[in-house]
């Protein structure tokens, strides 16, 4: 009987150990996968958009800045989470500056990246308008540099207070005010998850409507059947790209934002041990998946845009990307 009880206790301990290791394994395996794929994507974007063909276009400037922000998000925010939550290395809890800078950068770099993505999308939406009044505001390089500088300074002044508020308290990186801690959870859910998701769908709707109007107008004035088919293919590629954007945005922003709000609303209720275990697993999964948006822009363009793939082939074949004319999808497509 004692031998049987020992076996049962041993099996229970092994099961408990396995369950408690799931959040760490999620950070290690899924986190490292996104980190590697994201860095490859950042390198690919910089390789293409810094060539002579693209570097003097406004949307390319936005994409380069977005890519640099993505690189910092992946290699600072995500990497420290992998080391802390996956390998249990207490970096943020040991160094005050790292605590402050991580809490500042977690908002700052993510918001800068999403702002540059939004500006690039708006630039493409304006370029697709029939009205010259709207279209003249697109592809303005000087305006792009100004908007980038304004965005960088705006988010810096808005978020600089996080350098002051956060300190290492009882071996944890927490705000010095309990009230701020409560507000911060709501801000993270709304500012970093829910609002970006809403903006993505608005941009997708506006760009899709603009491009559909242009394609339909061109099809109506073209009598050549072959050209009609080409325009329809362009339209289908745009549809695929926008669909992928929506899916990535949902995967990235919605689950973690909903979990933060749900957890904040129910934080005062007593919960069982099983609930805590499930909550830790869901929290780790949704948190790591929230970085998908910052690691995927290169692959969305690669999957959905034939012209983008041809440019990569030319780059490796000729060590230079030449202008790709007579393919409007290249201009309208690469807002990532």
């Amino acid at each position: 009987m004692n031998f049987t009880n020992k076996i049962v206790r041993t099996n229970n301990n092994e099961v408990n150990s396995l369950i408690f290791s799931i959040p760490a394994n999620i950070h290690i395996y899924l986190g490292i996968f996104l980190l590697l794929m994201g860095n490859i994507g950042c390198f690919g974007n910089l390789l293409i958009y810094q060539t002579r063909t693209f570097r003097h276009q406004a949307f390319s400037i936005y994409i380069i800045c977005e890519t640099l922000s993505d690189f910092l998000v992946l290699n600072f925010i995500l990497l420290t989470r992998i080391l802390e939550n996956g390998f249990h290395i207490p970096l943020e809890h040991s160094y005050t500056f790292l605590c402050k800078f991580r809490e500042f950068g977690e908002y700052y770099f993510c918001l800068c990246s999403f702002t540059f993505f939004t500006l690039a999308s708006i630039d493409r939406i304006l370029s697709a308008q029939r009205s010259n009044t709207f279209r003249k505001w697109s592809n303005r390089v000087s305006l792009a540099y100004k908007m980038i500088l304004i965005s960088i300074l705006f988010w810096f002044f808005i978020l600089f207070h996080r350098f002051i508020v956060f300190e290492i308290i009882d071996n944890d990186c927490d705000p010095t005010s309990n009230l701020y801690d409560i507000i911060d959870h709501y801000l993270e859910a709304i500012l970093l998850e829910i609002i970006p998701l809403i903006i993505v769908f608005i941009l997708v709707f506006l760009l899709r409507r603009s491009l559909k109007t242009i394609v339909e107008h061109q099809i109506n004035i073209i009598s050549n059947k072959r050209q009609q088919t080409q325009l329809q293919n362009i339209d289908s590629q745009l549809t695929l790209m926008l669909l992928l954007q929506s899916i990535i945005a949902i995967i990235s922003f919605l689950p973690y934002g909903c979990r933060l709000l749900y957890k904040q609303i129910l934080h005062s209720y007593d919960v069982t041990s099983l609930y805590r275990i499930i909550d830790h697993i869901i929290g780790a999964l949704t948190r790591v998946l929230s970085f998908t948006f910052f690691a995927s822009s290169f692959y969305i363009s690669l999957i959905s845009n034939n012209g983008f793939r041809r440019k990569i082939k030319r780059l490796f074949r000729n060590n230079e990307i030449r202008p790709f004319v007579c393919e409007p999808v290249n201009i309208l497509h690469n807002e990532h």
Side-chain angles (χ1 to χ4, degrees), residues 265-325:
I265 292 171
L266 299 180
H267 76 283
S268 60
Y269 292 88
D270 292 331
V271 294
T272 63
S273 299
L274 178 61
Y275 174 88
R276 290 193 182 93
I277 293 172
I278 296 174
D279 180 66
H280 284 311
I281 294 173
I282 294 176
L285 183 61
T286 56
R287 185 53 181 162
V288 175
L289 286 178
S290 68
F291 292 94
T292 306
F293 181 83
F294 305 102
S296 61
S297 64
F298 173 79
Y299 303 102
I300 291 177
S301 297
L302 189 65
I303 292 171
S304 59
N305 189 345
N306 290 332
F308 193 85
R309 291 195 293 269
R310 282 194 288 269
K311 283 181 170 65
I312 294 177
K313 291 178 182 178
R314 289 186 175 190
L315 177 65
F316 287 103
R317 187 180 305 161
N318 303 326
N319 199 28
E320 179 182 10
I321 294 181
R322 301 182 184 280
F324 204 80
V325 296

Side-chain angles (χ1 to χ4, degrees), residues 54-210:
F54 292 106
R55 70 178 59 162
H56 299 301
Q57 299 183 40
F59 82 96
S60 297
I61 296 171
Y62 290 131
I63 293 173
I64 290 172
C65 291
E66 179 195 352
T67 300
L68 293 174
S69 299
D70 289 344
F71 181 82
L72 292 172
V73 170
L74 294 170
N75 291 280
F76 184 70
I77 308 302
L78 177 58
L79 180 58
T80 55
R81 286 195 177 277
I82 293 172
L83 294 175
E84 288 181 338
N85 300 327
F87 295 99
H88 303 294
I89 301 174
L91 296 175
E92 187 183 19
H93 303 160
S94 302
Y95 304 98
T96 302
F97 176 77
L98 187 59
C99 162
K100 292 175 175 291
F101 192 74
R102 218 284 288 276
E103 294 300 328
F104 167 78
E106 187 171 18
Y107 279 60
Y108 181 71
F109 297 135
C110 292
L111 287 172
C112 282
S113 174
F114 187 78
T115 301
F116 300 143
F117 160 77
T118 303
L119 291 171
S121 301
I122 292 174
D123 182 79
R124 295 303 89 207
I125 291 171
L126 291 173
S127 70
Q129 301 301 309
R130 291 184 181 180
S131 172
N132 289 328
T133 304
F134 291 107
R135 200 163 55 245
K136 71 180 182 180
W137 288 98
S138 67
N139 199 27
R140 297 180 63 171
V141 175
S142 60
L143 179 62
Y145 283 118
K146 292 176 183 177
M147 293 302 298
I148 289 169
L149 180 61
I150 291 173
S151 300
I152 291 173
L153 294 177
F154 174 79
W155 289 121
F156 180 81
F157 287 118
I158 291 295
L159 300 172
F160 183 75
H161 69 276
R162 295 179 68 83
F163 267 117
I164 303 172
V165 172
F166 279 86
E167 294 283 352
I168 295 179
I169 303 173
D170 296 329
N171 293 324
D172 285 324
C173 185
D174 291 320
T176 54
S177 169
N178 292 330
L179 177 61
Y180 185 89
D181 189 28
I182 297 173
I183 296 174
D184 186 57
H185 283 84
Y186 287 105
L187 283 177
E188 184 178 6
I190 295 171
L191 199 60
L192 295 181
E193 312 296 336
I194 305 301
I195 290 180
L197 181 64
I198 295 172
I199 292 176
V200 163
F201 279 113
I202 292 174
L203 293 173
V204 165
F205 171 76
L206 292 175
L207 184 58
R208 175 70 181 135
R209 188 177 64 173
S210 300

